[in-house]
């Protein structure tokens, strides 16, 4: 009976000791689990902040890109408008030169007629004709300057 009682007491002590170890290990596991959970929550919060910051930066880049696109489109439209103006000016210059050549032919024809048919009239009008020729030559020179400037401008803008 004593031996059984001692064994019972030993078993109770061992049982108590095992129960204490189990409680310690359970408590340590709970604390470890709480620490792991807290770490996971902290990491999740950190990742969420990083994702929000990345999203913010991406939105900023998108906004910057859209602004750049609008700027490029504006510049392209300005270039297109300038090209159209240059084209119009070039066409106007060509028209003016065509008109000038036509005027020169008309002038030459009229001068020939005047010379052949109206010698007296030509003598009387020679000073006026010379002024007209000088004016036309001056205008031709001015148009040539305009053409030169337009070609220079066109080549400069094309470059």
């Amino acid at each position: 009976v004593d031996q059984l009682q001692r064994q019972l007491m030993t078993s109770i002590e061992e049982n108590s000791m095992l129960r204490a170890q189990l409680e310690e290990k359970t408590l340590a596991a709970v604390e470890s689990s709480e620490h792991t959970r807290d770490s996971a929550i902290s990491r999740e919060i950190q990742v969420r902040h990083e994702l929000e910051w990345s999203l913010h930066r991406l939105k900023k880049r998108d906004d910057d890109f859209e602004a750049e696109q609008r700027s490029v489109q504006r510049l392209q439209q300005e270039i297109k408008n300038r090209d159209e103006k240059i084209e119009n000016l070039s066409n106007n210059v060509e028209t003016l030169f065509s008109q000038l050549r036509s005027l020169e032919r008309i002038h030459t024809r009229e001068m020939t007629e005047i010379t052949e048919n109206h010698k007296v009239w030509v003598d009387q009008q020679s000073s006026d004709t010379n002024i007209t020729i000088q004016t036309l030559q001056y205008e031709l020179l001015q148009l040539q300057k305009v053409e030169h400037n337009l070609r220079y401008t066109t080549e400069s803008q094309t470059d």
Side-chain angles (χ1 to χ4, degrees):
V1 171
D2 280 344
Q3 189 177 359
L4 282 176
Q5 219 174 9
R6 275 187 298 223
Q7 284 179 346
L8 179 63
M9 289 303 280
T10 304
S11 288
I12 290 174
E13 285 176 12
E14 284 178 1
N15 194 13
S16 291
M17 214 161 58
L18 287 174
R19 182 173 277 146
Q21 286 177 356
L22 178 63
E23 285 177 6
E24 268 182 45
K25 287 183 179 181
T26 302
L27 183 61
V30 166
E31 287 175 358
S32 174
S33 174
E34 287 176 355
H35 176 72
T36 302
R37 188 195 73 204
D38 290 347
S39 293
I41 289 171
S42 176
R43 179 66 184 142
E44 182 180 337
I45 290 170
Q46 181 183 359
V47 167
R48 192 172 288 170
H49 285 307
E50 289 172 2
L51 287 173
E52 287 172 357
W53 177 243
S54 293
L55 180 61
H56 172 73
R57 285 194 332 250
L58 284 174
K59 285 181 181 177
K60 172 99 173 81
R61 285 182 189 165
D62 281 349
D63 292 345
D64 291 347
F65 179 74
E66 288 175 11
E68 282 295 318
Q69 276 187 319
R70 286 190 301 273
S71 177
V72 166
Q73 288 170 346
R74 236 184 347 267
L75 289 174
Q76 287 173 335
Q77 186 61 44
E78 286 178 22
I79 290 169
K80 181 181 175 188
N81 292 344
R82 286 183 184 170
D83 286 348
E84 289 173 0
K85 286 179 183 178
I86 290 169
E87 173 97 17
N88 289 338
L89 288 172
S90 179
N91 289 339
N92 290 344
V93 167
E94 289 297 322
T95 301
L96 289 173
F97 275 111
S98 175
Q99 291 172 349
L100 181 62
R101 285 189 295 275
S102 178
L103 286 173
E104 286 175 335
R105 285 191 300 275
I106 291 169
H107 178 71
T108 302
R109 189 173 54 240
E110 286 177 355
M111 290 303 294
T112 303
E113 278 181 30
I114 291 170
T115 302
E116 292 173 357
N117 299 322
H118 306 288
K119 178 70 173 134
V120 173
W121 185 82
V122 169
D123 290 340
Q124 291 173 353
Q125 300 294 322
S126 67
S127 67
D128 291 340
T129 303
N130 286 337
I131 292 171
T132 302
I133 290 170
Q134 289 173 354
T135 302
L136 287 173
Q137 288 173 340
Y138 176 77
E139 289 177 3
L140 175 61
L141 181 61
Q142 293 303 313
L143 287 172
Q144 288 171 339
K145 287 180 182 178
V146 168
E147 179 188 29
H148 173 74
N149 288 340
L150 283 172
R151 286 191 180 152
Y152 175 77
T153 303
T154 302
E155 290 171 4
S156 295
Q157 287 183 355
T158 302
D159 292 343

